[in-house]
Amino acid sequence: MRAARTLAVTATAIAAVGLAAPLAAATNGPTIVLSGGNSGGNGGGNGGPTDVTVNPYDVHPGSTLTITARGCNRGGTVTSNAFPETNLSGNNNGVSTAVARVYNHATPGNYNLAVRCNGSSSVVTQSFRVLPGRGAQGGLGGSLAPSSTEMAIGGSLVAAAALGGGLFVARRRRVTGAGV
């Protein structure tokens, strides 16, 4: 009898956590990768950049962007108002990359970046978006309200505990009343 009660409470707690887990995991969406224009480069030498991609498309101030371009075998430069000039890596496989850190004080909005291969006058632009900054939430000590996900998880755990407690009390009353 005691084992059945323990099993029922444990099963209820596991069910509550299992049902709340998908909510907690569903907070981050996929990253977006966009292809840029094709400026007629042949993809082999330094005829000019082609297929410029930015990952992620949406960034916060202080975050990093990875820029990928084809056709810049001898490297090149990436420029934008949102980050300092960055160099593209040079290699023979036709794909060059650069990592740029967005300024901490970048104003939220849409920006363009320009990719130019070394030895080429051709320039390809690609857009990306800077989102409003999110300051660190450390040290605020309870001055922030919980998110909707946290509220849903907390509510489901409280409901599961109340259900388990109610079942425990109801079973206990029947067992006590039957023995008198």
Side-chain angles (χ1 to χ4, degrees), residues 15-138:
V17 172
L19 292 174
L23 291 174
T27 57
N28 291 330
T31 58
I32 299 172
V33 179
L34 296 178
S35 281
N38 188 341
S39 66
N42 61 7
N46 267 14
T50 61
D51 297 326
V52 175
T53 60
V54 178
N55 187 23
Y57 177 79
D58 295 321
V59 294
H60 291 281
S63 298
T64 57
L65 286 170
T66 301
I67 301 106
T68 307
R70 294 192 177 277
C72 293
N73 292 343
R74 289 177 278 174
T77 57
V78 181
T79 56
S80 175
N81 291 339
F83 54 81
E85 183 174 304
T86 306
N87 292 321
L88 278 169
S89 64
N91 55 36
N92 290 328
N93 68 1
V95 179
S96 300
T97 60
V99 176
R101 184 176 182 276
V102 177
Y103 292 124
N104 289 335
H105 56 64
T107 305
N110 292 324
Y111 287 86
N112 287 320
L113 58 84
V115 177
R116 186 182 67 78
C117 297
N118 291 335
S120 171
S121 61
S122 178
V123 175
V124 173
T125 61
Q126 179 61 267
S127 63
F128 65 97
R129 182 179 0 204
V130 175
L131 301 173
R134 296 181 308 187
Q137 295 181 0

